[in-house]
């Protein structure tokens, strides 16, 4: 058995340690345990929020989104569409025209994001599962219908299938001039459409989006054969990353092919940055909590001077003595860390299973705080504890290995 480890274990479990040293060691373990538990819980909450964002936007986001590198629209022809549809891994291609438009209903109005899509759009996404009123179909009996967000409906008090008061969508007319005509009849293109359904996905989408048939948007915006995006659904048995790379090679550098995460890169990046700063902050808290290990080891070195002198007189090397106190600090820290990890994972499991802590908002998309444990967080926390333990234990251990044997015998 390793002599240094044996002695360190004896010092850790010894009941003859001076009371103050024992108290400080126990405080160190509690501090490390609480810090580790808090770090695991907070990191798991950020993981849960990241997953929640992906889940919410996944209802309306395509697997892959093709947009122009320059400008907000690009020309689409049958050749391009056929090349995409026959590409490996491509299951479905949806044409999209999306732009801001003015929505009027009775005497109320608001600026909305109008999204014109082809008839296969609802085979592309799961937005039809988020319908809370009406029907998701954009064409019924040859007539065009709009699918509106719950926030848009609430803002304008829109009634569905109201043929006496249809929705009016207005868009600035492209006259080729820099100035806009003061005559509203000449300044805006206008079309009417009935509200056929209401969806509830996520606040930002619900408060701004209106889905309409592609030909309706094409006529209102006067886009012709131009599109703002093409949405691609990837076959289930084909990797998204591989299909993304194949499509990018196929259509060239004038287009961007974005996967689900890249479509919301700013939001997901903000969550990751916040998670990183939280990790750094709690790592400093762990460091402060671990300073008690430094003080307890320093006092233990003073208390065990005669023991150290006897060990050296018996032939123990400086390295052996140094390792005794390094391992003593490691045992104190790791016992606290293991307790903290168990408590943190238990609390996260309880939250995942029973939703102990609610969001506290009636309008929240989830009832309780989302949490998700990841093995990478446990690994990073363990590495942080190892680094911190070595940092606070090295000085007392070096002092112990430099004691003068003759003065302490």
């Amino acid at each position: 058995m390793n002599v240094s480890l044996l002695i360190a274990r004896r010092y850790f479990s010894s009941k003859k340690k001076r009371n103050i040293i024992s108290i400080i060691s126990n405080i160190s373990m509690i501090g490390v345990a609480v810090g580790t538990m808090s770090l695991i819980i907070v990191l798991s909450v950020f993981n849960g929020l990241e997953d929640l964002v992906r889940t919410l936007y996944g209802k309306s986001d395509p697997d892959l989104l093709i947009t122009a590198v320059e400008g907000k629209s690009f020309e689409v022809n049958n050749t391009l569409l056929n090349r995409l549809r026959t590409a490996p891994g491509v299951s479905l291609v949806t044409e999209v025209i999306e732009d801001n438009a003015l929505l009027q209903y009775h005497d109320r109005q608001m600026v909305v994001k109008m999204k014109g899509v082809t008839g296969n759009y609802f085979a592309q996404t799961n937005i039809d599962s988020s319908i809370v009123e009406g029907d998701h179909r954009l064409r019924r009996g040859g007539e065009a219908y709009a699918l509106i967000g719950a926030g848009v409906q609430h803002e304008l008090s829109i009634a569905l299938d109201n043929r006496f008061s249809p929705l009016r969508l207005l868009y600035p007319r492209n006259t080729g001039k820099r100035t806009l005509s003061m005559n509203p009849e000449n300044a805006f293109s206008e079309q009417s459409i009935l509200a056929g359904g209401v969806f509830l996905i996520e606040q930002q989408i619900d408060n701004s989006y209106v889905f309409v048939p592609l030909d309706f948007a094409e006529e209102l915006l006067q886009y012709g054969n131009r599109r703002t995006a093409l949405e691609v659904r990837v076959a289930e048995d084909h990797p998204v990353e591989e299909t993304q790379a194949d499509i990018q090679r196929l259509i060239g550098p004038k287009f961007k092919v974005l996967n689900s995460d890249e479509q919301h890169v700013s939001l997901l990046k903000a969550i990751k940055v916040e998670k990183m700063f939280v990790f750094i902050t709690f790592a400093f808290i762990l460091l402060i909590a671990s300073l008690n290990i430094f003080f307890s080891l320093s006092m233990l070195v003073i208390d065990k001077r005669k023991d150290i002198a006897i060990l050296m007189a018996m032939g123990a090397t400086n390295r052996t003595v140094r390792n005794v106190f390094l391992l003593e600090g490691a045992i104190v820290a790791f016992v606290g860390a293991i307790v903290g990890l168990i408590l943190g994972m238990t609390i996260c499991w309880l939250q995942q299973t029973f939703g102990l802590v609610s969001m506290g908002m009636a309008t929240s998309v989830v009832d309780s705080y989302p949490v998700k444990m990841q093995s990478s967080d446990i690994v990073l926390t363990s590495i942080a504890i190892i680094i911190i333990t070595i940092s606070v234990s090295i000085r007392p251990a070096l002092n112990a290995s430099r004691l003068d044997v003759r003065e302490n015998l």
Side-chain angles (χ1 to χ4, degrees), residues 62-167:
D63 294 332
L64 296 174
L65 181 70
I66 300 173
T67 59
V69 173
E70 295 182 357
K72 67 177 182 179
S73 65
F74 54 91
E75 290 189 6
V76 171
N77 51 47
N78 290 331
T79 303
L80 175 62
L81 292 175
N82 290 333
R83 288 168 64 189
L84 286 172
R85 287 171 182 147
T86 56
V90 174
S91 174
L92 198 67
V93 178
T94 301
E95 300 174 56
V96 175
I97 296 176
E98 182 176 334
D99 207 340
N100 292 329
L102 180 66
L103 175 62
Q104 291 184 344
Y105 184 75
H106 291 305
D107 57 344
R108 298 185 179 186
Q109 61 184 24
M110 67 180 294
V111 176
V112 296
K113 281 275 189 182
M114 185 185 68
K115 185 171 183 176
V117 295
T118 48
N120 61 1
Y121 179 72
F122 296 102
Q124 176 85 247
T125 66
N126 295 322
I127 192 174
D128 53 325
S129 64
S130 302
I131 302 300
V132 293
E133 187 179 354
D135 196 318
H136 73 276
R137 291 175 296 170
L138 300 179
R139 282 206 175 274
R140 282 176 266 163
E143 189 171 5
Y145 285 84
L147 183 61
I148 60 176
V152 175
Q153 182 193 35
H154 177 76
E155 182 70 21
L156 301 183
S157 301
I158 297 172
L160 299 185
D161 294 318
N162 186 354
R163 296 186 177 276
F164 296 101
S165 299
L167 306 179

Side-chain angles (χ1 to χ4, degrees), residues 43 46 50 265-281:
L43 293 180
F46 275 99
E50 191 173 333
V265 63
S266 299
L267 180 57
L268 293 174
K269 186 177 181 180
I271 294 175
K272 290 183 183 295
V273 170
E274 288 180 10
K275 180 181 175 181
M276 180 186 68
F277 277 105
V278 166
F279 177 82
I280 294 172
T281 302

Side-chain angles (χ1 to χ4, degrees), residues 314-381:
M314 293 173 64
T317 63
N318 289 344
R319 181 179 178 181
T320 302
V321 174
R322 183 174 67 246
N323 288 344
V324 168
F325 293 93
L326 281 175
L327 290 170
E328 170 74 9
I331 291 172
V332 172
F334 289 163
V335 168
I338 290 170
V339 172
L341 285 172
I342 293 172
L343 288 174
M345 289 189 289
T346 301
I347 291 172
C348 288
W349 178 81
L350 290 172
Q351 178 66 14
Q352 282 180 316
T353 308
F354 302 106
L356 301 178
V357 182
S358 67
M359 295 292 285
M361 296 182 292
T363 57
S364 175
V365 293
V366 289
D367 296 329
S368 57
Y369 275 96
V371 294
K372 180 184 178 183
M373 290 179 285
Q374 290 184 350
S375 56
S376 59
D377 294 335
I378 297 174
V379 171
L380 284 174
T381 302

Side-chain angles (χ1 to χ4, degrees), residues 72 99-102 168-191 217-223:
K72 67 177 182 179
D99 207 340
N100 292 329
L102 180 66
R168 296 172 60 211
L169 283 160
L170 294 89
Y171 186 79
R173 193 184 299 275
N174 185 11
T175 60
K177 300 178 181 179
R178 294 185 179 180
T179 57
L180 199 64
S181 171
M182 296 301 294
N183 185 352
E185 294 182 0
N186 298 328
F188 291 92
S189 299
E190 178 185 335
Q191 283 189 247
E218 183 181 318
E219 184 177 348
L220 176 65
L221 276 57
Q222 301 174 357
Y223 260 49

